[in-house]
Amino acid sequence: MDAEIDHYAVLGLPSGEEGAKLTEKEITKAYKFKALELHPDKRPDDANAAANFQQLRTSYDVLRDDKARNLFHDLLRVKRERELRHSQRDGKRRKMVSDLERRERDATAPDAAAKEREEEARIARQLKEEIARIRAMHGTKEAAVPEKKSAGSGGGGGGGGGGGVDQEKVLKVSWEKVGEDYSADKLRELFSKFGEVEDVVIKGSKKKGSALVVMATKEGAVATIGSVIGHLANPLLVLPLKPATVADTSSVPKSAETERMSNLVGAGYQAFEDSVLKKLQKVCFLRVPFLKIAFKMAVF
């Protein structure tokens, strides 16, 4: 439960009154240090690595937000006061306090304990709402990040009419979560052998990893297909997000020799065959029938 989490402890900072005196700069420094330690790329064997890193980010956001941090301080204060009272209730003093609370309950309603529980629940509820607001705000920002414009695009891209990433330069990469895993830096290293890599976005799940690799050129993207394999114990499956457009072979001009060969029919073809045989007879001393058979087998 979010209300039970000590956000200072998550960042490795002292809580209570000492935590309240910390500056935003000290909190940010502690978050950066802890983020390097808990990043999922550094904990490939930890099934809870992503959840722990997300909690670290949430605690950092709570302590940076003035309203959320003040609510969290109020919640800690109420808990400290309650724990202090409980620690003092031993022996005769506990009996005296119990008798006093019973008399107070009889004299006034609602009793003090119920009022404290109600205040604690109210503060915890408000803190939970603030945490949900911060998470929703970050989700909106991530969804609103614009796509990178393809390098060298002028008025229109190669994959569409807008200025987004050219889909023919994007590769879909997938692998199984067995053996050695792949990080964004490792994928960039593998694909950079075939051209400049503009971006690598890791997606994936617990059982299967996946990523999008954006190459700088279409030629670089095509060159990686069938060439980037990865580790033998955990091979990569590389597919284009959108296959590159193949040039229309009908528009390629035929060579003069090809055009001439296509027009050799009937007597023209016979004349061409005889001229080839005469040339072969000058070079070799083989019999003409054998050459005819060899020539026809080569043509057909």
Side-chain angles (χ1 to χ4, degrees), residues 151-162:
S153 61

Side-chain angles (χ1 to χ4, degrees), residues 21 29 44 53 55 77 84 87 89 95 99 101 111 115 122 152 155 196 199 209 214 218-219 240 278 280 290 295:
K21 296 177 182 178
K29 182 179 179 181
F53 189 79
Q55 180 58 59
R77 174 182 54 79
L84 180 62
S87 66
R89 294 176 184 177
K95 187 178 183 302
D99 294 340
E101 288 181 348
D111 63 294
K115 190 173 182 180
R122 177 183 61 80
E196 182 183 352
D199 200 3
V214 183
K218 298 178 186 178
E219 291 76 10
K278 288 179 180 180
L280 290 174
F290 175 77
F295 176 78

